[in-house]
Amino acid sequence: MTSNVKVSVIVPVYNVEKYLKDCLDSVVNQTLEDIEIICVNDGSTDNSLAILEEYAEKDSRIKIITQENKGLGGARNTGLYHANGEYISFIDSDDWIELNTFEELYHMSKNLDLDMLMFQMKVFNIETGEFIEDQYNNIDSIDDSLIGTVFNYKDVFDVLFKIPHNSVNKLYKYSFLKDMEFKFLEGAYYEDLASFFPLFLEAKKVSILKKQFYIYRIRSESITTSGDEGSFDMFNILKDLQKLLKDKNIYPQCMQEFLMFIIVNLKFVYLRLANAHKNNFLQAMKENYEVLELDNVSEEHLMKWHYEDRCFYQSIKKSKDSYDFDLIFKCSCNEFLVNHYEGLVNQLKIQNQNLLNEINQLKNNNSSVKSKFKNIFRS
């Protein structure tokens, strides 16, 4: 029996009673009605399940699956197991989407027969109540000439590690995921990072739609803003990704960009860590330094890095402990800024002096012209 479900929307739910209604309202009111909404209650202990049941009574498209807590990856995998749609979307239950999201995504994916369609996000800060621009959650790194076209990773190889690896700002063809025997990493943080590259490097038909359909809510208790022992999962994920690039025989061509990507992610994790874990994380960076081949960063490429990434990288080997590291990192950043702005000030001084010289030259020329006119009238 063929399913008429165009999009299976998988919503992992864990203790989000404050935000769940916003998420569900944005899904049940989609202009594309041929969807199923698979809500995986991942061991919630708050009022989340009651809210799900309230919505399910009013909308038969909602399926509730309750399980013991398996984490985000485990909840998504459960949703995938029960999915029947042509395409798959993942929505975190503290976020929401625009009401025309699936209509536009589905029709574009269907018309182009895509394996993966990427779109933009915007970020909502619940503490300030403001929407903010976030360079890590847009797809501006991909050239606009590819909008509406079909491409694969080879066409964007030069920006491979600048493409957002979130799972929620993509629509996937379900048959593609099944052929890949795809499953999210379970029991670990950063499952999006672990899953994006294996999928993207295999997808034959990818496209982008530069519209901000997904609203990502930043809250203090979310995984990406916490810093506990789970943060150490980043090392294994980066090592697995390095192995994947080697297995695909593309590592030599992208090694320098990947090494920068390693530092960017390690810095992202370290700066969000609780102080109690910082020293162990620094030691882990030192222990994995050779394994991750960080000695291979070329001086030429290093000088192209953002100054914070460069200072972070250079501070690893210089530091004995996290206290030492924090001081060296901050001093290096401050030194760079001082030199940078001192250079700008000197440039402005030179430009200002050149302008003054031009003004004085104009004054002299003007005086000379006046003298000539005076002599003419006298004669």
Side-chain angles (χ1 to χ4, degrees), residues 65-182:
I65 302 166
T66 295
Q67 64 182 27
E68 293 183 2
N69 182 261
K70 292 184 178 180
L72 186 57
R76 287 175 175 172
N77 286 338
T78 298
L80 271 174
Y81 180 79
H82 292 275
N84 299 291
E86 289 181 73
Y87 292 87
I88 302 291
S89 171
F90 300 99
I91 300 180
D92 291 344
S93 50
D94 50 353
D95 302 332
W96 72 96
I97 55 175
E98 300 293 350
L99 298 183
N100 62 332
T101 298
F102 294 134
E103 182 172 8
E104 292 205 34
L105 295 179
Y106 174 79
H107 287 303
M108 183 171 178
S109 296
K110 188 73 173 176
N111 290 338
L112 297 177
D113 190 28
L114 300 175
D115 296 320
M116 179 189 300
L117 175 57
M118 300 186 284
F119 52 96
Q120 289 181 312
M121 304 167 65
K122 52 185 173 183
V123 178
F124 179 73
N125 188 320
I126 64 172
E127 294 181 0
T128 64
E130 296 177 340
F131 290 98
I132 57 176
E133 290 296 326
D134 187 344
Q135 61 176 326
Y136 299 110
N137 289 310
N138 61 40
I139 47 178
D140 289 341
S141 57
I142 298 177
D143 193 87
D144 285 350
S145 64
L146 292 175
I147 295 176
T149 68
V150 178
F151 60 90
N152 60 40
Y153 81 91
K154 295 177 183 178
D155 300 303
V156 291
F157 195 74
D158 58 330
V159 294
L160 184 60
F161 301 107
K162 295 179 182 178
I163 300 171
H165 48 258
N166 317 70
S167 297
V168 293
N169 68 332
K170 297 168 182 71
L171 189 73
Y172 304 90
K173 183 191 285 187
Y174 191 26
S175 60
F176 166 65
L177 297 182
K178 290 177 74 174
D179 289 344
M180 289 282 296
E181 298 181 349
F182 171 74

